[in-house]
């Protein structure tokens, strides 16, 4: 019974194994990225950037259909362009970063949907917006794996200044000139992971596997290392459980993964030991670990 519920779908069906590998690789890299976005108070930036890649991916689709290299390159270039343009507008005008990103992301979303609609069908539009995690091929898995590897390697190199920038950017600026490079590198990693997530979850849901596990981790750990570990684990559990939920209940796989991640977040919001609602309501010793 337990075998049929938890293991049989992955043992018997190759597309489920591919989806599981892709989901685990996404969670491995997206978890740490989401934690740093949250610590830098840039959670909504991730959502805006997820929509920003849509026009580039849509142009790639317009030129070559669902050919992976074109979609990936187009999405990556569009995301980096929007990040740089938003930062430039913030620096040279009185418009805040949140308002600038909101403007760019709304225009990007509308433009991307329009471009896809010019050539594709509603099925193509749904593919771009919500992804096809159950149809990941070798190319998509290699791309996701490469992005995860590069992300973890880059985070290891910039970990200390990145943490310092989250805690005290003024101090980092006074002792090092690495702040600008670290910030730009981090934004590139955000865009790269959103492009990887786009292959599986689409532009509308890619940020979900990045931010929901990170928000969950905040209720279970108080230090950065602990939050990264919890976020990564929560993302992996969400991927596996969402795929099983999709298989047994015939639900769309991408939304199922994000719904599981949302469920884990809501449970953590209530019972989490670091500021959960029960902890706040009953701070007595009987709730202490």
């Amino acid at each position: 019974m337990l075998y049929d519920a938890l293991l049989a779908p992955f043992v018997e069906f190759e597309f489920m194994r591919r989806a599981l590998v892709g989901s685990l690789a996404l969670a491995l890299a997206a978890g740490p990225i989401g934690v740093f976005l949250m610590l830098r108070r840039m959670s909504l930036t991730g959502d805006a950037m997820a929509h920003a890649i849509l026009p580039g991916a849509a142009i790639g689709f317009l030129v070559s259909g669902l050919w992976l290299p074109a979609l990936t390159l187009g999405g990556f270039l569009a995301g980096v362009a929007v990040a740089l343009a938003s930062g430039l507008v913030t620096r040279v005008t009185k418009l805040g970063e949140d308002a600038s990103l909101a403007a760019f992301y709304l225009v990007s979303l509308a433009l991307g949907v329009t471009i896809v609609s010019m050539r594709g069908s509603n099925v193509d539009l749904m593919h771009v917006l919500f992804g096809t995690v159950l149809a990941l091929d070798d190319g998509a898995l290699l791309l996701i794996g490469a992005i995860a590897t590069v992300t973890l390697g880059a985070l290891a190199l910039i970990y200390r200044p990145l943490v310092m920038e989250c805690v005290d950017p003024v101090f980092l600026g006074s002792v090092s000139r690495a702040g600008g490079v670290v910030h730009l590198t981090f934004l590139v990693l955000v865009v790269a992971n959103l492009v990887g997530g786009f292959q599986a979850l689409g532009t509308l849901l890619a940020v979900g596997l990045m931010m929901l596990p990170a928000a969950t981790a905040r209720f279970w750990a108080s230090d950065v290392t602990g939050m990264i570990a919890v976020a990564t684990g929560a993302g992996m559990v969400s991927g596996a459980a969402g795929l099983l939920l999709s298989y047994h209940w015939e639900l769309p796989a991408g939304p199922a993964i994000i719904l599981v991640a949302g469920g884990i977040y809501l449970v953590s919001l209530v019972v989490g030991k670091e500021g959960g609602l029960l902890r706040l309501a009953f701070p007595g010793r009987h709730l202490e670990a």
Side-chain angles (χ1 to χ4, degrees):
M1 184 68 177
L2 194 61
Y3 171 83
D4 292 335
L6 301 180
L7 296 178
F10 301 118
V11 172
E12 297 176 6
F13 299 102
E14 183 181 2
F15 71 89
M16 289 291 289
R17 292 196 296 271
R18 289 175 177 271
L20 178 62
V21 171
S23 299
L24 294 180
L26 285 173
L28 189 63
I33 293 292
V35 168
F36 283 113
L37 280 172
M38 181 181 64
L39 292 176
R40 293 160 65 97
R41 294 178 174 83
M42 294 173 62
S43 299
L44 291 179
T45 300
D47 187 51
M49 296 306 299
H51 294 86
I53 70 176
L54 183 55
I59 292 174
F61 171 79
L62 193 65
V63 172
S64 58
L66 295 175
W67 189 45
L68 181 61
L71 295 175
T72 301
L73 180 61
F76 182 79
L77 293 177
V80 171
V82 168
L84 294 176
S86 175
L88 181 62
V89 169
T90 302
R91 288 179 179 274
V92 302
T93 70
K94 296 181 178 181
L95 195 64
E97 185 177 24
D98 57 341
S100 176
L101 276 172
F104 276 107
Y105 116 73
L106 289 171
V107 173
S108 297
L109 179 61
L111 180 61
V113 171
T114 301
I115 292 173
V116 174
S117 301
M118 289 172 58
R119 172 175 172 178
S121 63
N122 289 335
V123 174
D124 296 321
L125 182 59
M126 293 293 287
H127 170 86
V128 171
L129 294 180
F130 297 103
T132 53
V133 67
L134 295 180
L136 294 177
D137 57 15
D138 290 343
L141 288 178
L142 287 173
L143 173 67
I144 294 171
I147 289 174
T149 301
V150 171
T151 297
L152 294 177
L155 287 178
L157 290 175
I158 65 173
Y159 182 80
R160 293 185 65 182
L162 188 58
V163 172
M164 190 179 297
E165 189 182 29
C166 294
V167 176
D168 192 346
V170 176
F171 175 74
L172 176 62
S174 66
V175 299
S176 173
R177 297 181 179 179
V181 176
V182 168
H183 182 72
L184 181 59
T185 302
F186 179 70
L187 285 180
V188 171
L189 293 178
V190 172
V191 174
N193 279 271
L194 289 172
V195 170
F198 158 77
Q199 308 298 330
L201 301 174
T203 58
L204 295 185
L205 297 178
V207 72
L209 204 57
M210 187 177 289
M211 297 313 308
L212 285 171
T216 296
R218 186 61 184 88
F219 292 107
W220 295 105
S222 57
D223 61 281
V224 177
T225 303
M227 283 190 284
I228 289 176
V230 173
T232 302
M236 289 182 170
V237 170
S238 300
L243 290 173
L244 289 172
L245 188 66
S246 168
Y247 176 82
H248 290 296
W249 294 88
E250 298 183 358
L251 301 175
I257 292 173
I258 303 306
L259 284 175
V260 171
I264 296 174
Y265 164 74
L266 291 176
V267 171
S268 302
L269 172 65
V270 176
V271 303
K273 68 175 185 177
E274 297 290 338
L277 295 179
L278 285 181
R279 174 70 67 170
L280 295 177
F282 305 101
R285 294 184 61 186
H286 64 286
L287 284 180
E288 294 182 0

